[in-house]
Amino acid sequence: MKNSDNIFNLKVQKIEQICLFELTWGKGQRLNAQINYPPAITQLHQDWRRAYFNFYRSDNMRGRTIDGGVAKLTIDWHAELIKAETKFMYEFHRWLRSAELYEIRAQIAQASQQLSKENPETKAAVQIFLTCTPLELDRFPWEAWELSNEFATNEAIQIIRTPLNISTQAQEKRQGRTRILAILGDDTGLNFQAEKEALKSLMRIADVEFVGWQPQYTPAQVIQEISEAIADERGWDVLFFAGHSNETEMTGGELGIAPDVSISIKEIAPQLSAAKKRGLQVAIFNSCSGLSIADALIDLGFGQVVVMREPIHNSVAQGFMVRFLQGLAKHLDVYESLTEARQFLRMDKSHTYPSSYLVPSLFCHPGAELYRIRAVRWQQRLRQSIPNRLEAIALAVSLSLGFLVPVQQLLLEARVLTQSVYRNATAQIPTEEAPPVALVEIDTESIYRAGLPSTQLLPLNRSYIAKLIDSTRQLNASVVGLDFIFDTPQTDPPSADKDLGKAVSQAVDANMWLMFAAVLEENREVGANEALGINKWNWTLQGYIDAYPNYLEVPDAKQDCRKICPFPYLLSLVRLAKEEVEGLPQPQTNRQQNLRAEILDIIQKHQQPGNLSALSQWRSPFGLQPILDYSIPPKQAYQTIPAWQLIEKPDINKFPLMSKQVVLISVGSDERLGIAPGTPDRAPSPAAINYWTQQPWLTGGETLAYMIHHFLTKRLVIPIPDIWMIGIAIIIGKITVVVIKNQSRLSLSRRRQIMAGSIGAVILYGVGGLQLYISAAILLPWFLPSAVFLAYVLPAIRRNNHA
């Protein structure tokens, strides 16, 4: 609570060559003084401004233009500025020590001494709210008035400026964690790095958000972003601006928000008023000539505004603001932080930046308390957050299960199965005209019809694979992937490698993009051997097929895809590039440049919006790996074509869409085919696949087909880790427990309501998670977080009954 006896209002008004000083305080007390205005002060102040402008004149001033004469190389402006400051400040202090002002000075000093006696252990200070008119007086450095020296008082006397006209009341402070909006304007000739780092250092005690000009923004976009940010419904405590600014008479000052683009305070007054109503207290303008800005904002009802009254050099502005923000970080109030920053400029930088300490000023609404960042009482919150015995058990069990891979796999499979049932029950199955992938499977019947002996099944007869490539060529397939490893020669039959090489060459010369499979070994791909004569990397592609079960294999952000790249990802990029990139180079056997490197370079340079850019620029958020979405039925993801049909009946009318599909040639689930003897390329079907098809096995080719489908359709489902949601469940559960604890004994009906509400919240969370999975491709774990939440809340309800 403010004591009115310690708050003074001092109004200084110049009328021709007379100055009127009016001091009011307490319950109507008033002192008036009339004193001659010495003409020398105006000239000395002009001389100081001229020396100041010429010393600091450069492209690094935070203002568009600077008054003053043209600097001459023969003048030592540093010495001239020191001399001008000394003369002006001497005359300024001599005038303020005039006998006519003695009673005013004595009254302020007496209040300061009395306050010190009554509150010896506090840092309470006498506050003087100063109003000056005309603007000529407002430009003087009143903060440097040495009121304490004359009466030998060491107590703080705060000189705070306030505008002549104020039409609105100060707004109450908002609750919650401190929020700071930093607007970075036109940085032409400036550098905001020091301020950005200082603001970021506040993030441990405040939320800091940055907005402002970016090279890709139009002026309208910059204005819109700044306006929307100011009016954010969450509200702000502090508004910070760095950049160019200037005084204006009618519009409250203007801010340079982009090169050659300014916005006036009047233009954003509605947004500023909305922000003020939501709790905005302080505006800090680390820019030039801010007197009219301060007047306008205080008139809008802002609590405090920090401005520079004169143009300010970029280095001075940075040094001042770093010290000012350090004061706020120590939970000093705005005035104390400003004083520390001014003292830093005066004592530590007086030679480097002379007179700079005279420029910063604080304007304050008389009805507002000086703002400081609230200290967090973490000890009390920490004590409340410590789990009890039952909560600790629930926490330990859930975290242990959350880290066990087998448990996670089981929960994931159950979750995707539930998702399949929900998708089917709510009729939210994708309805594309045709699957984007054609999966050519070499199944048991294909082996039988081809008459392949067991000796030509592992490895598979490459002449047979050549026939499949020829058939896809006849059907105008343009992107084909081979899920086989051709790393060693094949001698049975003797012409196998030759037949395959011929089919590959003919397909490539028909502009077919062919991709061979590889496996990862020690951070390199091992796949088709060029020495076999099957292919060349100047006209074919390669990608690795290694992948974790149930997860979508995405490129490693730390690896170059030109060297190591997932097979389905690269195949999908090529398909999209053919659709979206004009003038895409075609694979031909006479090419001399590595095809993979060239196509990836072209894709990297492709900036047009579309599926290709979205996929090539996609990065996994927080390093989370997408899952395979088996809640989509297989027939929606890929079209299965038995290999025998493709060889015996390669009719384009039967397969009209193959030219637009990615064709994947792979082995089926026959146990004689696969990776190695006794190791078929298959795994037990996930529960979701079994729900759709009742098939016992899921082949490696089917897994790759799902991956290609996901990449082409941008179906990248991000699984939120159980540990994350368990943590959130603990926080929400603990908050609920604290709320229950703070209530007196609940009635039976009320306990049942809370219990039903808690269980209902868990069910609602589950249903919401199921829909979020479909709509936003985000998988929220349900079982463990829900169990932890209920383990916290239900015992608390029971304990309340026994309290």
Side-chain angles (χ1 to χ4, degrees):
M1 182 68 66
K2 292 185 177 181
N3 187 340
S4 59
D5 291 333
N6 304 324
I7 299 176
F8 293 88
N9 291 286
L10 178 61
K11 183 178 179 180
V12 182
Q13 184 177 9
K14 178 175 177 289
I15 302 175
E16 295 182 352
Q17 295 305 310
I18 299 296
C19 272
L20 305 178
F21 283 72
E22 181 184 63
L23 183 71
T24 59
W25 74 98
K27 298 180 180 180
Q29 292 98 317
R30 185 186 310 271
L31 278 176
N32 287 284
Q34 180 175 306
I35 183 174
N36 290 328
Y37 178 79
I41 288 185
T42 299
Q43 184 60 49
L44 291 173
H45 185 247
Q46 291 176 353
D47 292 344
W48 172 81
R49 293 188 80 201
R50 176 172 173 270
Y52 175 86
F53 294 152
N54 280 290
F55 176 75
Y56 286 109
R57 176 185 292 275
S58 75
D59 293 334
N60 294 328
M61 297 294 281
R62 295 198 173 188
R64 300 293 188 189
T65 59
I66 303 174
D67 299 330
V70 178
K72 299 179 180 179
L73 296 177
T74 56
I75 299 178
D76 181 357
W77 286 111
H78 184 277
E80 289 296 314
L81 179 55
I82 297 296
K83 187 188 305 181
E85 177 191 335
T86 303
K87 290 181 177 180
F88 167 64
M89 293 305 294
Y90 173 80
E91 186 63 25
F92 184 56
H93 286 309
R94 191 178 70 84
W95 178 53
L96 294 177
R97 286 196 297 267
S98 300
E100 292 88 341
L101 300 178
Y102 177 81
E103 290 187 11
I104 289 178
R105 299 195 303 269
Q107 181 60 47
I108 296 172
Q110 179 184 347
S112 177
Q113 293 168 350
Q114 184 65 29
L115 180 62
S116 176
K117 293 178 181 178
E118 295 175 355
N119 303 277
E121 298 180 358
T122 66
K123 295 183 178 180
V126 167
Q127 294 181 333
I128 304 174
F129 287 91
L130 175 69
T131 302
C132 295
T133 183
L135 183 62
E136 176 188 359
L137 287 183
D138 217 9
R139 294 192 186 279
F140 288 176
W142 293 91
E143 291 83 358
W145 190 356
E146 298 173 347
L147 278 166
S148 303
N149 294 351
E150 183 177 0
F151 298 92
T153 176
N154 295 322
E155 306 310 318
I157 298 175
Q158 299 177 346
I159 299 178
I160 303 171
R161 297 175 184 249
T162 188
L164 181 64
N165 300 311
I166 302 176
S167 58
T168 56
Q169 295 181 350
Q171 188 69 26
E172 294 184 1
K173 297 179 180 178
R174 61 180 291 277
Q175 299 300 314
R177 183 175 168 88
T178 297
R179 284 172 47 79
I180 301 174
L181 174 63
I183 301 174
L184 304 180
D186 177 17
D187 60 355
T188 303
L190 308 179
N191 186 342
F192 302 146
Q193 190 59 36
E195 287 126 310
K196 289 172 68 175
E197 294 301 323
L199 284 163
K200 288 178 181 178
S201 69
L202 295 178
M203 288 183 175
R204 60 183 178 84
I205 57 174
D207 295 331
V208 182
E209 293 187 20
F210 293 89
V211 297
W213 177 75
Q214 297 293 333
Q216 68 272 22
Y217 285 1
T218 64
Q221 288 174 322
V222 179
I223 294 173
Q224 181 179 0
E225 183 191 39
I226 292 175
S227 299
E228 290 177 353
I230 293 173
D232 192 312
E233 292 184 356
R234 294 170 295 175
W236 305 100
D237 295 280
V238 180
L239 171 67
F240 171 84
F241 174 80
H244 297 288
S245 67
N246 269 324
E247 295 175 356
T248 58
E249 292 185 7
M250 304 299 295
T251 60
E254 63 180 10
L255 310 176
I257 58 173
D260 301 320
V261 179
S262 297
I263 188 171
S264 69
I265 296 297
K266 185 177 181 180
E267 290 179 81
I268 55 175
Q271 290 81 10
L272 291 169
S273 296
K276 189 260 296 185
K277 292 178 181 178
R278 296 183 179 117
L280 183 56
Q281 296 288 312
V282 183
I284 304 165
F285 289 85
N286 203 22
S287 54
C288 290
S289 306
L291 284 174
S292 57
I293 295 174
D295 287 348
L297 293 183
I298 296 297
D299 186 47
L300 283 174
F302 276 56
Q304 291 103 55
V305 182
V306 176
V307 297
M308 305 294 174
R309 301 188 320 281
E310 304 287 357
I312 192 77
H313 190 273
N314 184 69
S315 298
V316 178
Q318 286 185 330
F320 167 82
M321 191 49 57
V322 168
R323 283 303 177 111
F324 178 83
L325 293 175
Q326 287 174 354
L328 289 182
K330 293 185 293 186
H331 303 290
L332 300 181
D333 65 36
V334 174
Y335 186 90
E336 293 167 339
S337 301
L338 182 75
T339 301
E340 278 202 358
R342 291 181 67 248
Q343 285 297 103
F344 167 73
L345 295 177
R346 182 178 187 180
M347 305 303 295
D348 295 8
K349 297 293 181 180
S350 59
H351 181 77
T352 310
Y353 307 131
S355 287
S356 59
Y357 76 97
L358 297 173
V359 176
S361 287
L362 170 65
F363 283 74
C364 186
H365 194 293
E369 292 186 8
L370 291 174
Y371 178 81
R372 71 174 78 236
I373 295 178
R374 296 176 291 274
V376 179
R377 298 175 181 177
W378 58 269
Q379 297 92 338
Q380 183 178 2
R381 296 181 182 177
L382 180 61
R383 284 195 298 270
Q384 289 185 338
S385 64
I386 296 175
N388 58 34
R389 182 172 175 273
L390 288 176
E391 293 169 350
I393 293 173
L395 178 60
V397 172
S398 62
L399 290 178
S400 299
L401 294 176
F403 280 110
L404 291 175
V405 175
V407 174
Q408 289 297 296
Q409 292 290 348
L410 180 63
L411 292 174
L412 177 60
E413 186 165 339
R415 178 69 172 78
V416 178
L417 171 61
T418 307
Q419 195 68 51
S420 302
V421 176
Y422 176 80
R423 188 188 284 273
N424 195 23
T426 56
Q428 298 188 73
I429 299 174
T431 56
E432 293 94 345
E433 293 183 0
V437 182
L439 176 60
V440 180
E441 274 197 336
I442 304 172
D443 57 5
T444 302
E445 187 172 356
S446 298
I447 296 172
Y448 172 76
R449 285 174 174 265
L452 296 176
S454 59
T455 56
Q456 295 182 10
L457 298 181
L458 197 63
L460 188 66
N461 187 326
R462 293 175 185 172
S463 297
Y464 185 78
I465 299 174
K467 293 179 181 179
L468 292 174
I469 295 175
D470 287 337
S471 297
T472 58
R473 175 172 55 81
Q474 295 173 29
L475 295 171
N476 295 329
S478 59
V479 180
V480 178
L482 303 177
D483 183 19
F484 303 95
I485 307 295
F486 305 119
D487 57 342
T488 58
Q490 189 176 77
T491 56
D492 184 18
S495 62
D497 288 345
K498 183 178 179 181
D499 293 342
L500 182 57
K502 180 180 178 181
V504 169
S505 298
Q506 290 176 342
V508 169
D509 285 332
N511 294 332
M512 179 188 290
W513 292 78
L514 269 173
M515 180 174 295
F516 293 80
V519 293
L520 284 179
E521 289 186 8
E522 298 180 354
N523 292 325
R524 68 187 184 96
E525 294 177 352
V526 177
N529 188 345
E530 280 189 325
L532 301 180
I534 296 174
N535 73 311
K536 297 290 183 183
W537 299 128
N538 288 341
W539 33 274
T540 58
L541 301 170
Q542 175 177 278
Y544 69 86
I545 56 176
D546 305 70
Y548 290 104
N550 300 324
Y551 285 90
L552 181 64
E553 187 67 20
V554 295
D556 188 341
K558 300 179 182 178
Q559 295 283 2
D560 187 353
C561 216
R562 296 168 181 80
K563 298 178 181 178
I564 298 177
C565 203
F567 179 92
Y569 175 79
L570 188 55
L571 205 56
S572 303
L573 282 181
V574 172
R575 175 72 265 176
L576 295 174
K578 282 182 63 62
E579 296 174 357
E580 299 183 20
V581 179
E582 296 182 3
L584 190 70
Q586 297 299 320
Q588 294 290 323
T589 54
N590 59 358
R591 285 178 46 84
Q592 300 300 317
Q593 184 177 354
N594 185 280
L595 182 60
R596 177 160 149 183
E598 183 176 0
I599 186 66
L600 288 174
D601 287 340
I602 292 172
I603 291 173
Q604 186 177 20
K605 295 176 183 178
H606 182 71
Q607 300 296 325
Q608 297 298 323
N611 292 336
L612 178 61
S613 296
L615 179 58
S616 63
Q617 297 172 12
W618 185 86
R619 293 296 180 269
S620 180
F622 306 105
L624 300 177
Q625 188 172 3
I627 64 167
L628 289 172
D629 186 7
Y630 293 131
S631 75
I632 297 175
K635 65 180 181 179
Q636 306 300 128
Y638 54 87
Q639 175 189 5
T640 303
I641 304 173
W644 66 267
Q645 289 186 4
L646 207 63
I647 292 178
E648 296 180 8
K649 302 176 181 179
D651 186 356
I652 196 169
N653 294 320
K654 190 173 182 179
F655 307 104
L657 299 175
M658 187 169 285
S659 62
K660 298 180 180 180
Q661 293 173 309
V662 171
V663 180
L664 178 62
I665 302 175
S666 179
V667 298
S669 61
D670 193 298
E671 62 183 8
R672 295 170 294 173
L673 303 172
I675 304 170
T679 311
D681 188 15
R682 69 187 188 187
S685 289
I689 294 292
N690 195 263
Y691 170 78
W692 293 117
T693 65
Q694 290 77 50
Q695 66 186 59
W697 304 106
L698 183 71
T699 68
E702 290 171 324
T703 302
L704 291 174
Y706 259 105
M707 292 186 186
I708 297 168
H709 167 272
H710 292 352
F711 284 128
L712 291 176
T713 60
K714 297 187 294 183
R715 185 61 188 171
L716 306 175
V717 179
I718 302 298
I720 304 301
D722 276 83
I723 301 301
W724 293 12
M725 296 310 297
I726 288 172
I728 294 175
I730 290 171
I731 294 172
I732 297 175
K734 196 64 182 179
I735 292 173
T736 307
V737 169
V738 171
V739 172
I740 293 173
K741 280 183 177 180
N742 291 337
Q743 298 186 41
S744 58
R745 180 176 177 180
L746 298 169
S747 65
L748 177 60
S749 61
R750 181 58 177 159
R751 291 200 308 275
R752 287 177 176 173
Q753 288 175 0
I754 296 177
M755 187 177 300
S758 301
I759 297 173
V762 167
I763 295 173
L764 186 63
Y765 165 71
V767 175
L770 291 172
Q771 188 57 46
L772 187 69
Y773 181 101
I774 295 174
S775 304
I778 296 175
L779 186 149
L780 295 177
W782 179 82
F783 179 74
L784 289 180
S786 299
V788 169
F789 174 76
L790 294 177
Y792 267 65
V793 175
L794 297 183
I797 298 173
R798 185 178 180 183
R799 286 194 299 270
N800 181 275
N801 180 43
H802 296 291

